[in-house]
Amino acid sequence: RKVSEFFNIPVSDLVSKSRTKEISYARQMAMYLTRELTNVSLPKIGESFGKRDHTTVMHACDKIKGLVANDPETKQLFNSLISNIKNDG
């Protein structure tokens, strides 16, 4: 929900089959945040995001993890989302 609000993309789009660049990026960020902030398994995360395979979740996490490590803009975005999520309780 927080990623949806942050990117101004409906939750329904995040779990849809849409593959537009904006929606895919937001979805991948949401998957990575879910993986980082919870103990939910890859298959369960995939299920929550439109019945995606666990390998899709792995790819999303690897991609965003790499971007957070190498792209200052993505790192700032990631940190903003983390604080937004944690401050909301």
Side-chain angles (χ1 to χ4, degrees):
R1 188 175 44 79
K2 287 291 185 184
V3 172
S4 168
E5 291 169 8
F6 192 89
F7 285 101
N8 198 26
I9 294 172
V11 172
S12 60
D13 284 354
L14 289 181
V15 300
S16 74
K17 297 294 180 192
S18 176
R19 292 171 60 164
T20 64
K21 188 176 182 177
E22 295 79 16
I23 293 172
S24 292
Y25 180 76
R27 182 185 301 122
Q28 289 171 337
M29 182 63 78
M31 287 178 177
Y32 182 60
L33 285 163
T34 302
R35 184 70 175 153
E36 290 295 303
L37 297 174
T38 69
N39 292 320
V40 178
S41 69
L42 294 173
K44 292 266 189 218
I45 294 170
E47 183 72 23
S48 300
F49 284 90
K51 300 190 188 307
R52 286 175 163 76
D53 190 81
H54 75 281
T55 57
T56 303
V57 180
M58 285 173 45
H59 170 74
C61 291
D62 290 345
K63 180 178 178 181
I64 299 297
K65 186 177 185 177
L67 286 171
V68 167
N70 298 307
D71 178 39
E73 192 175 319
T74 303
K75 183 176 181 133
Q76 184 180 3
L77 173 72
F78 174 75
N79 288 334
S80 294
L81 281 163
I82 290 277
S83 2
N84 193 322
I85 291 165
K86 289 186 174 182
N87 290 337
D88 198 39

